[in-house]
Amino acid sequence: MAWTDDNLTSLQTHVLAEEREHPSATGDFTWILSAVALAAKSIGNKVRKARIEDVIGALGDENVQGEQQQKLDVIANEIIKSCLGSRANIGALVSEEDETPTVLRTHEDGGRYAVLFDPLDGSSNLDVSVGVGTIFSIVRLSDEVKGTGEARILDPRSLQVAAGYVLYGSSTVFVLTTGRGVNMFVLDQSIGAFVLVKSNLRIPPAKKIYSINEAYVDRFPDAYRNYLNWAHDNGYSSRYIGSMVADIHRTLLKGGVFIYPPTGDHMEGKLRYLYEAMPMSMLIEQAGGRSISAADTRLLDVDPTTLHQRIPVVMGSTDEVEHVNRFLSES
Ligand code: AHM
Ligand code: MG
C-alpha cells in the first residue's frame, strides 16, 4: 500500500481525534501521551546507541526488587520522569525502579492521574541486542482519597484508563489502548513521528504456541506441568524471548499464550502487577484476548495491595488461556 497524506495518522492526531469524540474530554490524555511518546523516542535513541556510548551492562546497584540495575534502566527512568514531570494533570509517577512514588501534586492541586511504568523491561537482554521495551499504565486517581501517595494509587476506585508499551526492536513500535480497542504505531525516523499502522488490533482466538521459561518446569506447580505435557502431546510450538514486551507483542499479533507461573521459591511469580501484568492485561483484553492470574480469576479483578507486588500471569488468545485454565481448575 502506498502512503498518501490521506492515510498518514500520527499518534498525536489519533489521540486528539479520540478526545474530540468525547465532549467532556479535557485534553489530559493528549498531554500525557505526548510526553510518553517523547520519552519513548528518547529511550529508543539511547537503546540504539547503547553499545557506542558504552552504557551496556549492570550499574552495580540493585533496584527496589533486589535485582541488578542496568545502566540503561536508570537512564530510561530519568528520561520518563523528566518528560512527564512537567505535565500539570499528573499527581504521581510510579516506577518499577523507584521504591516510592514521585509525588508531583496533590488532588487539590490538580493531580488527577498517576502514570505507572517499567522504564526498560527486559534490560538484561540489551547486552545481546534483543528487543526490550517500556510498559506504562495511566490511572485516573480516586477522588475519595486525599493526597497522592500509595493509598490513593492502590484505592480500588482508582481506574486504569489507558495502557501501552513501546518495543525497541527491529523497529520502534508503540501499542496503545485508551479503553476502545488497541492501536499500533511505528516510529518513522525520517519524520520523527509514530505513525498508525494498524487500528483495532485483534488477537487471534487460538494458536498452538506457548511462551514460558520451561527450564523452570520442575519448580512449577503440577497444574502448569500437566498443561505443558498436554501441549507437548498436542502439537504445540514454543517461543520464548525472555523479554516480556517482545513476547507479548508476538502473542498479540500471532496468537498463543504467555505464561509466567509461580515457582517453588516465588509463589507470586516474577512479574510485577502494576508495571507489567496490569497494563499488558488491559491491552490483551482490549484486543479480544484473556488474562488470568489463577484458575477462573481475571487478573484485573485482583486488587493490588502494594506497589511492587508480583503476580502469576497467563495471558493471550482466549482459547489458549482456557486450555491452561482447565488444568489450573483441576488442581
Ligand atoms: P525485568 O523487569 O527485571 O527486566 O524482568 C522482567 C523480565 C520480563 O521481560 C521477562 O518476561 C522475564 O523477566 C523473564 O524472566 P526469566 O528470565 O525468569 O524467564
Ligand atoms: Mg520489568
Side-chain angles (χ1 to χ4, degrees):
M1 181 184 68
W3 287 112
T4 68
D5 287 348
D6 289 344
N7 60 22
L8 198 63
T9 303
S10 70
L11 174 65
Q12 194 101 2
T13 318
H14 173 83
V15 176
L16 279 168
E18 272 201 337
E19 271 192 338
R20 285 186 79 170
E21 286 175 29
H22 288 279
S24 57
T26 56
D28 284 347
F29 262 14
T30 317
W31 267 113
I32 297 174
L33 287 168
S34 69
V36 176
L38 179 63
K41 287 182 215 172
S42 182
I43 295 170
N45 197 35
K46 285 281 172 200
V47 166
R48 305 220 180 280
K49 291 197 291 192
R51 180 68 68 181
I52 299 165
E53 292 183 348
D54 194 25
V55 284
I56 296 279
L59 189 70
D61 290 343
E62 287 186 346
N63 69 6
V64 59
Q65 324 283 342
E67 294 159 347
Q68 270 288 332
Q69 267 187 320
Q70 306 292 308
K71 290 174 194 164
L72 266 179
D73 283 330
V74 177
I75 294 170
N77 197 27
E78 290 309 316
I79 289 174
I80 297 192
K81 287 196 284 187
S82 69
C83 289
L84 285 163
S86 57
R87 299 302 201 241
N89 43 19
I90 301 179
L93 299 175
V94 193
S95 169
E96 184 190 301
E97 298 298 330
D98 297 331
E99 189 162 0
T100 52
T102 304
V103 175
L104 300 175
R105 52 192 68 74
T106 61
H107 179 240
E108 296 69 37
D109 291 335
R112 298 178 59 197
Y113 295 91
V115 182
L116 285 56
F117 53 92
D118 181 351
L120 203 56
D121 183 67
S123 52
S124 57
N125 285 310
L126 277 167
D127 293 8
V128 289
S129 299
V130 165
V132 292
T134 298
I135 312 172
F136 67 92
S137 168
I138 303 175
V139 170
R140 190 185 302 122
L141 294 165
S142 156
D143 290 336
E144 312 294 323
V145 185
K146 299 294 166 221
T148 305
E150 184 164 342
R152 190 166 173 222
I153 296 159
L154 295 172
D155 188 274
R157 290 161 295 193
S158 290
L159 193 68
Q160 179 172 229
V161 289
Y165 62 76
V166 186
L167 171 62
Y168 311 106
S170 55
S171 56
T172 304
V173 186
F174 195 124
V175 178
L176 172 70
T177 181
T178 56
R180 299 194 303 157
V182 175
N183 295 297
M184 181 167 115
F185 305 81
V186 168
L187 181 62
D188 183 336
Q189 301 275 5
S190 61
I191 58 171
F194 284 102
V195 174
L196 182 66
V197 292
K198 182 96 186 129
S199 35
N200 199 20
L201 197 71
R202 306 299 290 170
I203 184 170
K207 179 84 182 187
K208 290 186 171 187
I209 299 176
Y210 61 76
S211 187
I212 186 170
N213 192 337
E214 212 163 350
Y216 302 156
V217 67
D218 291 344
R219 286 181 269 153
F220 294 158
D222 286 348
Y224 292 90
R225 281 210 293 274
N226 295 340
Y227 163 75
L228 287 169
N229 288 333
W230 171 86
H232 296 164
D233 293 341
N234 281 276
Y236 273 68
S237 184
S238 157
R239 291 284 182 276
Y240 191 70
I241 298 167
S243 189
M244 187 187 194
V245 178
D247 279 317
I248 292 295
H249 190 59
R250 184 200 54 252
T251 305
L252 205 52
L253 296 184
K254 303 227 162 170
V257 61
F258 173 85
I259 311 171
Y260 206 108
T263 50
D265 36 351
H266 298 289
M267 287 315 282
E268 300 300 310
K270 176 184 183 188
L271 300 176
R272 268 59 51 140
Y273 187 109
L274 295 179
Y275 318 111
E276 291 161 336
M278 181 174 89
M280 291 306 199
S281 294
M282 183 176 182
L283 283 163
I284 291 279
E285 287 191 354
Q286 283 290 319
R290 184 177 173 198
S291 175
I292 60 173
S293 61
D296 299 317
T297 308
R298 180 176 175 247
L299 191 145
L300 290 174
D301 284 342
V302 177
D303 287 330
T305 51
T306 59
L307 291 177
H308 296 290
Q309 173 176 337
R310 297 169 196 266
I311 189 163
V313 165
V314 180
M315 60 171 76
S317 302
T318 45
D319 292 3
E320 304 305 335
V321 173
E322 181 50 30
H323 287 310
V324 184
N325 187 52
R326 209 173 60 236
F327 286 91
L328 297 179
S329 312
E330 282 168 6
S331 65

